[in-house]
Amino acid sequence: MRRTTGAAAVLGTAAGVLLSGCGPSGPLPLVAVERDATGALVAVLRPCGDDVITGLSLFGARDDDPEKNRSGWEARDERRGTDAEFPLFSPPAAWHPTPVGRQRVLPGYRYELSFGKAVPDYEYSGTVTFTAKDLAAVKPGQVRADGRVMSLGEFEKLAEDSC
């Protein structure tokens, strides 16, 4: 009986995944912006399990210049994916975030709060997009996620079901 080498087994598995149509998925509803009881905006991240995540950022661009981050922050470190909640413009210091531009939600800007699964091959991302107008519709105890306003409980179930 012939043994398959490790490389051949990996290639066979990869070919099977490609032929089956499975592969990296697009953005998942694993990120939300909550308005807490005091009215403050809170980022809510729900990575799948203990996945390593990367690319944590809040990217805010003017409608007339959508390619340049002018309001937000970036955290370049990879993190073990644990649930996180923090003020929208104040990610945990342990993430070594770099602030970018003005640190508040600005009218005329479109924002994206996101992260991606880092290993083994960036299989999914968690993203929420919003404007100041979108967040004005979020009442205390609600979140903006998946293009709409919902309760925090609905978001938690949506994120869980997405993993």
Side-chain angles (χ1 to χ4, degrees):
M1 183 168 160
R2 209 166 119 189
R3 292 193 147 177
T4 305
T5 65
V10 169
L11 286 174
T13 301
V17 166
L18 289 174
L19 292 174
S20 72
C22 296
S25 61
L28 299 176
L30 303 175
V31 181
V33 177
E34 177 185 16
R35 187 168 305 275
D36 71 11
T38 69
L41 297 173
V42 176
V44 182
L45 309 179
R46 297 295 185 255
C48 297
D50 65 350
D51 290 344
V52 175
I53 58 175
T54 190
L56 296 150
S57 66
L58 175 60
F59 186 97
R62 291 191 322 228
D63 290 338
D64 64 349
D65 189 11
E67 300 300 315
K68 183 162 174 79
N69 190 359
R70 296 184 179 272
S71 172
W73 50 267
E74 298 175 76
R76 299 191 186 275
D77 293 348
E78 290 184 350
R79 309 281 316 151
R80 178 63 56 192
T82 57
D83 293 352
E85 296 168 19
F86 52 88
L88 186 58
F89 285 91
S90 298
W95 295 4
H96 308 289
T98 303
V100 177
R102 298 181 73 187
Q103 297 296 290
R104 62 186 176 91
V105 177
L106 300 167
Y109 280 57
R110 179 162 304 283
Y111 289 85
E112 179 178 84
L113 177 61
S114 63
F115 67 84
K117 181 180 178 198
V119 290
D121 59 357
Y122 200 77
E123 294 171 11
Y124 65 84
S125 61
T127 302
V128 64
T129 58
F130 57 90
T131 63
K133 185 177 177 180
D134 294 331
L135 294 182
V138 179
K139 296 181 178 21
Q142 294 181 321
V143 302
R144 167 98 181 163
D146 199 31
R148 57 198 163 100
V149 175
M150 63 186 75
S151 72
L152 180 59
E154 288 172 302
F155 167 69
E156 297 288 1
K157 175 93 170 94
L158 182 64
E160 183 180 319
D161 290 349
S162 296
C163 291

